[in-house]
Amino acid sequence: MDTGVDGLVVEVEGGVATLRIDRPQARGALTAAMWGALPGILAALEADRAVSVLVLTGSAGVFSAGADIRELRGHYATAEAADAYHALNSAAEQALATFGKPTIAYVQGPCVGGGCQLAAACDLRFADTTARFGVTPAKLGIVYDAGSTARLAALVGVSTAKYLLFSAELIDAAHALRVGLVDDVFDPTEADERVYAFADTIASRSQLTIRAAKDLLITDPSITPEPARLATWRAEWETESRTSADVREGLAAFTERRAPRFAWHR
């Protein structure tokens, strides 16, 4: 898939799409053009029926060091320019946080600033032991938007969010695992295989079950539905489950001791 912007590459194989931040020479720094392109790329992947799972990763052992600092002085030349730049960041993060299919951040090397914000917006985060995480706006005098800050706190807790934001220090993968910033850590020699095996497993499951779970387990404060909407979702998903062929296929496959062939699509 042609993303239309340098530094972002998309590959699709067997139901798993990989969205790669491909600027290792710049430590995976995201330009304004890259931030601006992300919502459209994600919309296209969500609409693609061949895609069941999205893996967000980097290239050559580098995830992302965040925003391209060489551009930032220009973006902060005026309040209006800063507002426009922040709007690009927020729209990209929100598009990832609200992506309708399961998302996995696969982190190697630096995952800092805006890179860490993108990882936090995914459903799951896996890392290898080279990964380093940091939330670093305090080094630049920048204030992240309320949605991004609340998302971090919902993920790791308020105390750890304060630790990361106040200090702007980097933590290693083991520390990130202890505080809940990542879900598992692998040796670099097996990380690719383990991450993509898990993604393949998700792609093989009932997408009806997964999409319902994703809706009903929303904890991100920036996208949490009102109680009335949540109740409607519950009713809609229960009805969908009772009428979908996936349930009959899953039960038949279990009885016949074969792999199920789920076919549900929203």
Side-chain angles (χ1 to χ4, degrees), residues 187-210:
D187 186 273
T189 61
E190 63 175 8
D192 273 27
E193 181 180 354
R194 296 285 296 275
V195 171
Y196 280 96
F198 190 83
D200 287 339
T201 295
I202 295 175
S204 75
R205 304 305 193 204
S206 168
Q207 298 307 301
L208 167 59
T209 302
I210 289 169

Side-chain angles (χ1 to χ4, degrees), residues 125-137:
R125 284 148 298 281
F126 296 138
D128 75 11
T129 54
T130 70
R132 297 294 182 270
F133 299 84
V135 187
T136 55

